[in-house]
Amino acid sequence: MLRSRQCSSVEICSSIIERINITEEKLGAYITVCNDIMEQAAAADRKISAGGNIHALTGIPIGIKDNISTKGIKTTCASKMLENYTPPYDAYVIKKIKKAGMIITGKLNMDEFAIGSSTENSYYKKTCNPHNGMYVPGGSSGGCAAAVMSGEAVMTIGSDTGGSVRQPSAFCGAVGLKPTYGSVSRNGLIAFASSLDQIGPLCRNVKDTSMLYSLICGHDYSDATSSKRDYADFSENLCTDVRNICIGIPEEYFGDEADDCVKEGVMTAVKLLESKGASLKRISLKNTKYAVNAYYIISSAEASSNLARYDGVRYGYRAEHFDGLTDMYVKSRSQGFGSEVKRRIMLGTFVLSAGYYDEYYKKANNTRRLIKQEFNEAFKECDVIITPTYPGTAFRLNERKDNFLKLYADDMYTVPASLAGIPAISIPCGYSADGLPIGMQIMGRPFSEQKLLDIAYAFETISGGINYMSDKFMSGGGHNAGI
Ligand code: GLN
């Protein structure tokens, strides 16, 4: 419609601003809304009018998770530590987004430093689930999922270290892709656990997801782990034929810990794909049970190292009153970080300490290798593996505030793909009885994103997709209800 001038970017962006004005107070998805959205839109319209080689996403508004560096726009990681931090440069993905002429709407809420599963660890605000305001949107990219599914952005990008793109997508009914490790540059992504972090799109449907992924993937010399390969345009090659696909169903992902409605929802979706010609194969991934333990040791170890830079000296929060250098470190870090971040730093420091390194960190790394090998073996028997994204649907705000072990344990379906570095997508496949979306995860071999997107597209096409513009949270309360 933009190309054929049936609408303009200015019109699209006005509708987004209008939506933000109506819903944001209750939803709480943004930490920062950009004040130059209309200027950006006018520039995109001029670009489109000038004609020539215009990118398909020119003029489309996109929201950015607040741990992705944006030049001149505050990037807080939802932490008090970075409350006043404005990056002097753009992340690699932001450069690509700007070059394509997309409109940056603002920076989205998240768990502090991407650590968490509900967005409740944000220093700034709580975000609610667009399907019911009394429920969390998931995390850590909860602001992304809530914004895109409530119409406060057309597309978003988040980051996934152990499930932070996929799990909020599942909770809010979005499509979320965690790409193969190394396919999207981490340059400018504020690090949580560098060997696991990946930037990925959260969108309303598979086509949008594939267009955005096509834009942001690619080799970048400034990220040493960035893969050197050429990528085709994933959205142009989307295909709904699943006849030659063998789907692996691992028994370990359908155990007692998962809600019946989640297991049924996913299996109904799988049966639908089978009816279109895909074949099913029961498989076993025995090392899955060690994945959560290995993930929490490795990610905390890396987090403790990455977060050591916030010492009150160079940038970030510095305590006002202190007595000498050590006291300044202690006070700045004690006051600047929230409790979950501190818990991970302590856990990470512990597992890396002399005497415990071999017992925990090294063992966790060996376990990681075994999990990766097990996936390699499984992919000799099947093309993709389908599982639930999360054992349940969204939970209530405050419900798990003090139950961090339950939160850790429930990452069991998303962390294996992170440890193995393989791509995984979450797509909505139905609702629970109380109207909350159910997420289905499709995992594949490294760099098999096209296949994952194809299967997701096939399912979306057959099932008719999900109603994205949910307004239920408006009547359901929200974290600001009653205020
Ligand atoms: N929930 C996981 C954690 O808290 C994953 C977070 C993420 O992927 N950034 O570590």
Side-chain angles (χ1 to χ4, degrees):
M1 288 174 78
L2 273 170
R3 287 291 176 79
S4 55
R5 314 278 167 78
Q6 291 175 65
C7 72
S8 64
S9 179
V10 163
E11 282 170 320
I12 297 175
C13 289
S14 320
S15 80
I16 292 290
I17 292 174
E18 199 179 309
R19 185 75 183 159
I20 291 174
N21 288 340
I22 297 169
T23 57
E24 180 56 14
E25 202 181 319
K26 271 193 174 178
L27 191 72
Y30 280 89
I31 293 178
T32 305
V33 176
C34 291
N35 52 20
D36 66 341
I37 298 177
M38 295 317 288
E39 282 84 5
Q40 293 183 61
D45 281 336
R46 283 196 297 276
K47 208 166 162 180
I48 294 169
S49 303
N53 202 3
I54 307 289
H55 192 278
L57 293 174
T58 306
I60 301 294
I62 181 169
I64 314 288
K65 187 175 180 179
D66 210 18
N67 60 349
I68 299 175
S69 303
T70 39
K71 188 175 179 174
I73 309 171
K74 261 203 309 196
T75 300
T76 68
C77 279
S79 180
K80 181 179 179 180
M81 191 54 97
L82 292 178
E83 193 169 9
N84 295 313
Y85 173 62
T86 302
Y89 71 102
D90 277 326
Y92 178 80
V93 292
I94 299 297
K95 284 189 190 138
K96 285 204 154 182
I97 281 167
K98 284 187 175 169
K99 195 164 167 223
M102 294 188 81
I103 315 303
I104 296 178
T105 53
K107 304 303 291 288
L108 294 160
N109 201 20
M110 53 185 278
D111 286 300
E112 184 179 9
F113 284 102
I115 291 176
S117 307
S118 64
T119 309
E120 292 172 292
N121 295 339
S122 168
Y123 170 68
Y124 300 97
K125 53 168 77 170
K126 300 252 191 308
T127 300
C128 68
N129 190 305
H131 295 272
N132 186 327
M134 303 310 285
Y135 288 76
V136 301
S140 63
S141 313
C144 296
V148 80
M149 297 313 284
S150 65
E152 288 194 1
V154 174
M155 294 181 172
T156 62
I157 46 167
S159 67
D160 189 310
T161 303
S164 279
V165 161
R166 291 162 282 162
Q167 185 256 27
S169 297
F171 278 19
C172 296
V175 175
L177 173 69
K178 182 207 87 77
T180 306
Y181 186 79
S183 67
V184 180
S185 169
R186 289 178 296 109
N187 174 276
L189 169 67
I190 298 180
F192 161 17
S194 314
S195 77
L196 298 154
D197 295 342
Q198 268 299 277
I199 292 176
L202 292 94
C203 296
R204 292 175 193 164
N205 57 48
V206 178
K207 181 114 195 187
D208 286 0
T209 308
S210 48
M211 286 174 88
L212 187 52
Y213 177 58
S214 300
L215 174 67
I216 61 174
C217 69
H219 177 249
D220 172 20
Y221 72 92
S222 64
D223 173 358
T225 59
S226 166
S227 173
K228 282 200 184 96
R229 32 165 75 221
D230 292 325
Y231 301 81
D233 187 304
F234 296 91
S235 62
E236 273 170 20
N237 297 325
L238 279 180
C239 129
T240 55
D241 185 359
V242 292
R243 274 173 307 179
N244 290 320
I245 300 289
C246 177
I247 300 171
I249 307 292
E251 54 176 318
E252 290 80 3
Y253 286 70
F254 292 84
D256 291 341
E257 68 284 344
D259 290 353
D260 286 341
C261 76
V262 171
K263 288 187 273 195
E264 280 163 27
V266 172
M267 282 318 291
T268 307
V270 167
K271 291 269 155 51
L272 203 59
L273 289 167
E274 190 183 26
S275 75
K276 296 290 169 191
S279 58
L280 305 189
K281 187 162 183 97
R282 303 271 160 190
I283 61 166
S284 176
L285 295 166
K286 297 210 163 34
N287 290 324
T288 300
K289 58 177 176 291
Y290 304 119
V292 166
N293 302 26
Y295 168 80
Y296 275 90
I297 290 172
I298 292 168
S299 64
S300 301
E302 293 185 24
S304 71
S305 167
N306 277 324
L307 298 175
R309 74 192 67 179
Y310 306 105
D311 55 8
V313 176
R314 286 159 291 191
Y315 58 95
Y317 177 79
R318 179 186 293 177
E320 256 179 63
H321 308 287
F322 50 84
D323 185 13
L325 182 65
T326 308
D327 194 45
M328 185 197 74
Y329 288 154
V330 172
K331 292 218 169 95
S332 300
R333 288 170 68 78
S334 300
Q335 293 164 14
F337 289 133
S339 58
E340 183 60 28
V341 169
K342 286 178 194 161
R343 184 178 290 124
R344 304 284 178 102
I345 292 174
M346 288 192 288
L347 179 62
T349 311
F350 175 76
V351 298
L352 290 176
S353 58
Y356 289 110
Y357 182 89
D358 284 352
E359 206 170 320
Y360 293 106
Y361 185 70
K362 211 166 147 208
K363 223 185 229 176
N365 264 327
N366 289 340
T367 308
R368 180 179 192 172
R369 197 168 316 123
L370 290 177
I371 289 169
K372 203 177 158 118
Q373 275 165 9
E374 194 170 63
F375 273 118
N376 285 345
E377 289 304 311
F379 287 126
K380 286 181 186 156
E381 292 183 69
C382 56
D383 299 300
V384 294
I385 294 171
I386 293 189
T387 72
T389 305
Y390 202 72
T393 49
F395 44 88
R396 283 178 178 270
L397 280 155
N398 295 324
E399 184 187 316
R400 303 206 177 159
K401 218 169 56 185
D402 303 313
N403 199 351
F404 60 91
L405 285 179
K406 167 81 177 146
L407 282 179
Y408 295 179
D410 278 354
D411 285 340
M412 57 177 69
Y413 300 157
T414 48
V415 295
S418 303
L419 290 167
I422 58 174
I425 191 169
S426 178
I427 58 167
C429 68
Y431 292 98
S432 65
D434 39 12
L436 293 162
I438 296 168
M440 166 164 92
Q441 174 174 241
I442 315 174
M443 299 183 268
R445 299 179 187 112
F447 301 104
S448 66
E449 275 82 355
Q450 185 72 59
K451 193 164 279 168
L452 303 192
L453 290 162
D454 284 351
I455 297 168
Y457 191 56
F459 176 71
E460 189 182 79
T461 310
I462 310 161
S463 66
I466 192 169
N467 173 21
Y468 71 86
M469 204 74 101
S470 175
D471 264 335
K472 287 191 206 138
F473 74 98
M474 296 292 276
S475 53
H479 66 280
N480 287 328
I483 295 175

